Amino acid sequence: MTALVSATGLTKHFAVRGGSFLRRHTTALRAVDGVDLQIRSGETLGLVGESGCGKSTLGRLLIRLIEPTGGRIDFDGHEITGLSTKAMRQHRRAMQIIFQDPYGALNPRMSVEDIIMEPLLIHGARADAATRAKVAEALRLVGLPARAAQRFPHEFSGGQRQRVGIARALVLNPKFVVCDEPVSALDVSVQAQIVNLLQDLQKELGLTFLFIAHDLSVVKHISDRVAVMYLGKVVEVAEKHAIYSAPQHPYTQALIAAVPVLRPQDRARGRRVRIAGDIPSALNPPSGCRFHTRCPHVMPICRVQEPALTEPAPAHHVACHLVNPV
Ligand SMILES: Nc1ncnc2c1ncn2[C@@H]1O[C@H](COP(=O)(O)OP(=O)(O)OP(=O)(O)O)[C@@H](O)[C@H]1O
Ligand code: SF4
Ligand SMILES: [Mg+2]
């Protein structure tokens, strides 16, 4: 299958002010730091990793909601990095995002109809009967009654608001949708409904999803392939069943397996820890392999040489010196 979205050496460094009051300086926070990733047409690629590892930043970069510091993005056969705002317009409607927070993402003063219509108006439509019909169709797609159009966000539950957020993202007929933790803020009881809705919509409309989530069981349910991020890097990408049943990277193993990474001192005491230590700062990431400060298999080379993302098995990419010895 061909790639709809492709990132090559994609990088986002945020300038962060630091230092003391008298010695202020700016440091680069390396939120996304040289990511190569392909998202195939029609698939759901799950994106997992600890909080702060750069998942949302990567998702926003791919649809150029934020500008990269370096690297290249190709969308639907065109390089979109560096395109002017005007040149981006024709691609923009094809790439949309669904946010985590259905409360914060919707303007409380706008009716549901106006919320869903807004992207159409931004893209040059008039607020006429044909445009209203598109809004009604979007409401139908997400399982909301036509009368919901005249209501306001506060009149809805969290799950219903997320349906409005999905309708807003889909009304432009996108090809690619970044779903950034779309169910994390919802009650567990409604999470499955929204996940199932997204799956149905994907099939019906032939969408391509980047599905970002903390919850590995949700990612397992919805994804075709899964990418694992650690501190601004993609460390493993493979088919879902390969990631869950035969993870190659020690970080993925720690994330996926109920069996956590064992530190030698804990192993001696028979104690199990989830993943040893805290995630290091993206302001000053560890040298070599960024996971070396927490990896139970760390070797001398890991501290000095960054492992490249290689393909030890077909369609299974891993960045680790254990898997690909130098
Ligand atoms: N606008 C910004 N300015 C400065 N730093 C930022 C900005 N946005 C994100 N960051 C930093 O970039 C890093 C990656 O953030 P990001 O939100 O992409 O992580 P995440 O994996 O989505 O985390 P979470 O799981 O908590 O949503 C973090 O260290 C974060 O603090
Ligand atoms: S490269 Fe070394 S430190 Fe990094 S995950 Fe592999 S074994 Fe661990
Ligand atoms: Mg995030």
Side-chain angles (χ1 to χ4, degrees):
M1 218 182 272
T2 51
L4 178 68
V5 187
S6 168
T8 313
L10 195 58
T11 299
K12 179 68 184 180
H13 292 179
F14 290 109
V16 180
R17 296 187 63 127
S20 65
F21 175 67
L22 292 174
R23 308 191 76 197
R24 281 249 174 265
H25 57 83
T26 312
T27 320
L29 186 147
R30 293 150 78 165
V32 171
D33 210 14
V35 163
D36 293 339
L37 190 66
Q38 255 123 48
I39 307 175
R40 299 171 186 165
S41 191
E43 79 167 341
T44 295
L45 180 72
L47 183 61
V48 300
E50 282 163 291
S51 184
C53 70
K55 303 180 297 296
S56 296
T57 305
L58 177 58
R60 281 155 211 232
L61 282 173
L62 291 175
I63 58 169
R64 276 197 61 194
L65 217 54
I66 53 174
E67 288 303 310
T69 312
R72 165 181 177 141
I73 306 158
D74 289 85
F75 179 74
D76 208 7
H78 302 274
E79 179 175 2
I80 59 163
T81 1
L83 286 186
S84 65
T85 312
K86 197 171 161 218
M88 256 317 276
R89 270 185 87 87
Q90 58 162 319
H91 299 295
R92 210 163 266 303
R93 60 187 306 155
M95 28 174 73
Q96 295 295 314
I97 184 164
I98 299 166
F99 294 102
Q100 171 178 357
D101 177 11
Y103 297 87
L106 307 178
N107 185 335
R109 285 181 293 278
M110 286 168 77
S111 71
V112 163
E113 180 170 66
D114 288 343
I115 287 170
I116 299 173
M117 201 187 309
E118 191 177 45
L120 291 165
L121 301 185
I122 290 170
H123 283 270
R126 279 184 297 183
D128 55 15
T131 301
R132 290 206 162 78
K134 285 189 181 163
V135 173
E137 170 61 9
L139 284 172
R140 186 196 66 76
L141 275 175
V142 299
L144 287 173
R147 64 178 183 281
Q150 305 316 321
R151 303 241 169 99
F152 287 83
H154 71 266
E155 298 177 62
F156 293 99
S157 67
Q160 288 169 324
R161 283 186 217 210
Q162 193 55 295
R163 286 175 195 264
V164 175
I166 296 169
R168 183 181 154 97
L170 297 187
V171 76
L172 287 167
N173 275 328
K175 290 183 178 169
F176 176 50
V177 183
V178 173
C179 306
D180 191 355
E181 311 243 12
V183 299
S184 307
L186 303 178
D187 288 346
V188 175
S189 57
V190 293
Q191 286 188 0
Q193 291 169 20
I194 298 296
V195 168
N196 291 339
L197 170 68
L198 286 168
Q199 259 182 324
D200 292 346
L201 289 170
Q202 185 191 35
K203 271 195 218 115
E204 190 174 338
L205 305 174
L207 299 168
T208 303
F209 280 164
L210 177 70
F211 193 95
I212 301 170
H214 273 103
D215 186 331
L216 294 170
S217 59
V218 170
V219 172
K220 188 175 184 181
H221 179 79
I222 198 167
S223 307
D224 300 300
R225 293 187 307 140
V226 176
V228 181
M229 269 188 99
Y230 187 76
L231 218 56
K233 296 268 180 194
V234 167
V235 297
E236 186 161 6
V237 193
E239 296 294 329
K240 163 173 76 177
H241 62 264
I243 286 284
Y244 282 84
S245 59
Q248 300 289 305
H249 195 284
Y251 178 62
T252 315
Q253 291 168 353
L255 268 188
I256 300 290
V259 190
V261 167
L262 297 177
R263 290 186 298 186
Q265 65 268 37
D266 294 315
R267 199 183 296 145
R269 292 190 204 119
R271 207 179 341 138
R272 306 200 318 176
V273 291
R274 183 125 183 89
I275 301 178
D278 292 327
I279 189 164
S281 168
L283 284 168
N284 187 19
S287 59
C289 171
R290 291 186 179 187
F291 190 52
H292 87 245
T293 54
R294 304 167 80 189
C295 180
H297 309 289
V298 59
M299 303 172 283
I301 191 170
C302 305
R303 298 192 174 88
V304 290
Q305 189 168 323
E306 189 174 332
L309 194 67
T310 57
E311 195 174 354
H316 194 143
H317 296 84
V318 189
C320 172
H321 291 307
L322 273 181
V323 175
N324 185 36
V326 182

